[in-house]
């Protein structure tokens, strides 16, 4: 069996995805209980301001600027005591700070913009999107874990935001990442895609589902595909992963080899599920499909799974 590591590309597929460009040095070995508090008052500290699912951007100097000073976030009434330290870039600290304010209550030069819109509209650089994915996921985890899962007592932030401690029972709670398998099933010159009930009109995508405890990635890919489409899979290969801060998932993209072609779609989850020829998928990617069908936009891992397959199929 060939050893695949040294035939892999120098830059893995994940590198090219939205939310995947984080270059912050997390310095996890240096986290102390007061590291966020100390970094917050450093004169050059950069603060991301996050309001439930939205990033606040400053348009006062023209292009969108996601970084604020401590004085600026204090003036807006942000919860600086809940700030978390993401790490450092060339020595400069980056923190994420939650703000409870309604987006409409912000001054005119500030806009609180949904994470998906920031990605889709290119309102942040690659590295900033990576920092956003880290900060948004952590803040959401803190918001959802204010009480101890063991005794119900209140928990307090520790380790710069990388731990919560229960004062009552001493339990330590650590940030979680929820793995989601997303897979493009392939059979000959066709791939399998479905339409979720809440998708935008005309959009078809790769199937996806949460990986469950005790499951390998490959087993989850096979189970989810069978449950949602009735298609059994043989070989499964990993392709790429993408941080997905809704609220703290990691999308794990794979390809699966179909063993049958008769679809039995899960109508609770999917409005439609069918095979697409490569020619039809190319039209969907190019925006030239006669029926107006589309695939997800280029920043999403589903798009890359679909495009990589379509490009490779055309080479063969
Ligand atoms: Zn407890």
């Amino acid at each position: 069996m060939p050893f695949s590591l040294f035939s892999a590309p120098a830059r893995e597929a994940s590198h090219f995805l939205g939310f995947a460009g984080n270059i912050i040095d997390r310095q996890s070995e240096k986290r102390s209980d007061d590291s966020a508090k100390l970094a917050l008052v450093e004169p050059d500290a950069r603060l991301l301001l996050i309001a439930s699912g939205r990033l606040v951007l400053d348009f006062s100097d023209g292009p969108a600027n996601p970084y604020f000073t401590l004085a600026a976030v204090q003036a807006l009434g942000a919860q600086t005591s809940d700030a978390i330290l993401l790490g450092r870039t060339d020595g400069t600290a980056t923190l994420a700070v939650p703000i409870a304010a309604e987006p409409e209550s912000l001054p005119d030069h500030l806009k609180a913009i949904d994470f998906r819109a920031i990605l889709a509209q290119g309102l942040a650089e690659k590295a900033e999107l990576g920092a956003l994915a880290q900060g948004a996921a952590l803040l959401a985890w803190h918001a959802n874990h204010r009480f101890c899962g063991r005794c119900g007592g209140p928990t307090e932030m520790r380790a710069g935001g990388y731990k919560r401690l229960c004062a009552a029972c001493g339990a330590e709670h650590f940030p979680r990442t929820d793995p989601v398998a997303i897979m493009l099933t392939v059979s000959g010159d066709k791939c399998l895609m479905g339409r979720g009930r809440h998708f935008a009109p005309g959009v078809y995508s790769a199937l996806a589902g949460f990986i469950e405890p005790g499951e390998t990635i490959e087993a989850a890919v096979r189970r989810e595909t069978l449950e949602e489409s009735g298609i059994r899979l043989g070989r499964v290969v990993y392709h790429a992963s993408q941080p997905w801060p809704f609220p703290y998932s990691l999308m794990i993209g794979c390809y699966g080899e179909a063993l049958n072609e008769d679809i039995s779609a899960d109508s609770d989850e999917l409005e439609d599920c069918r095979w697409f020829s490569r020619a039809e998928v190319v039209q969907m990617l190019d925006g030239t499909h006669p029926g107006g069908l589309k695939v997800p936009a280029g920043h999403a891992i589903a798009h890359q799974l679909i495009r990589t397959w379509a490009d490779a199929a055309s080479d063969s």
Side-chain angles (χ1 to χ4, degrees):
M1 185 174 164
F3 181 56
S4 60
L5 178 62
F6 299 124
S7 60
R11 277 189 168 175
E12 68 274 12
S14 311
H15 174 84
F16 301 97
L17 293 165
F19 294 129
N22 200 347
I23 54 169
I24 290 174
D25 177 0
R26 297 172 183 242
Q27 300 187 334
S28 57
E29 76 287 4
K30 293 185 181 170
R31 286 174 193 144
S32 61
D33 285 342
D34 56 358
S35 57
K37 200 172 151 189
L38 293 174
L40 196 60
V41 296
E42 291 175 14
D44 61 347
R46 305 191 300 182
L47 279 54
L48 293 170
L49 194 50
I50 294 174
S52 70
R54 295 163 183 258
L55 177 68
V56 180
L57 295 173
D58 182 346
F59 289 88
S60 56
D61 291 328
N65 177 14
Y67 296 119
F68 290 81
T69 63
L70 176 60
V73 303
Q74 283 173 330
L76 292 166
Q79 297 142 260
T80 52
S81 59
D82 290 335
I84 53 177
L85 176 61
L86 304 184
R88 293 177 183 274
T89 309
D90 297 328
T92 301
T94 302
L95 298 99
V97 185
I99 183 166
E102 290 300 312
E104 301 75 34
S105 67
L106 294 170
D108 286 347
H109 64 284
L110 303 181
K111 299 258 180 295
I113 301 179
D114 174 78
F115 301 154
R116 282 187 176 83
I118 286 176
L119 191 60
Q121 295 170 25
L123 291 172
E125 301 290 331
K126 191 172 170 59
E128 293 166 351
L129 284 170
L132 168 60
Q134 184 185 357
L138 269 173
L139 287 180
W141 176 78
H142 282 287
N144 289 340
H145 294 82
R146 299 209 170 278
F147 295 92
C148 178
R150 191 158 82 183
C151 79
T155 58
E156 295 171 358
M157 183 188 293
R158 292 285 188 273
Y162 278 81
K163 185 165 82 177
R164 292 190 77 84
L165 176 70
C166 174
C169 79
E172 294 179 318
H173 302 279
F174 295 93
R176 55 183 279 180
T177 295
D178 296 336
V180 176
I182 178 164
M183 50 276 171
L184 189 69
T185 293
V186 173
S187 178
D189 200 33
K190 300 188 294 289
C191 74
L192 182 76
M193 293 194 288
R195 252 194 74 69
R197 299 210 163 270
H198 306 293
F199 283 15
V203 172
Y204 279 77
S205 186
L207 305 183
F210 283 103
I211 297 174
E212 295 193 346
E215 220 172 21
T216 63
I217 295 170
E218 293 87 347
V221 165
R222 292 190 182 99
R223 176 183 54 77
E224 283 287 343
T225 303
L226 183 62
E227 287 173 4
E228 292 191 12
S229 69
I231 302 297
R232 288 174 288 109
L233 297 184
R235 285 177 291 188
V236 170
V237 292
Y238 167 78
H239 176 63
S241 62
Q242 180 179 35
W244 198 242
F246 305 99
Y248 24 74
S249 285
L250 176 68
M251 306 298 288
I252 301 173
C254 295
Y255 292 105
E257 173 189 39
L259 297 179
N260 59 308
E261 294 194 355
D262 49 322
I263 294 169
S264 171
D266 175 355
S267 57
D268 288 340
E269 285 213 29
L270 297 176
E271 191 178 278
D272 189 26
C273 180
R274 68 174 179 89
W275 294 102
F276 290 79
S277 69
R278 194 191 74 80
E280 194 174 7
V281 171
V282 168
Q283 290 177 326
M284 293 164 82
L285 285 162
D286 293 346
T288 58
H289 190 278
L293 300 186
K294 291 174 275 192
V295 296
H299 48 75
I301 192 168
H303 181 99
Q304 196 190 77
L305 282 168
I306 295 163
R307 181 174 287 282
T308 301
W309 167 74
D311 288 350
S314 68
D315 292 344
S316 60

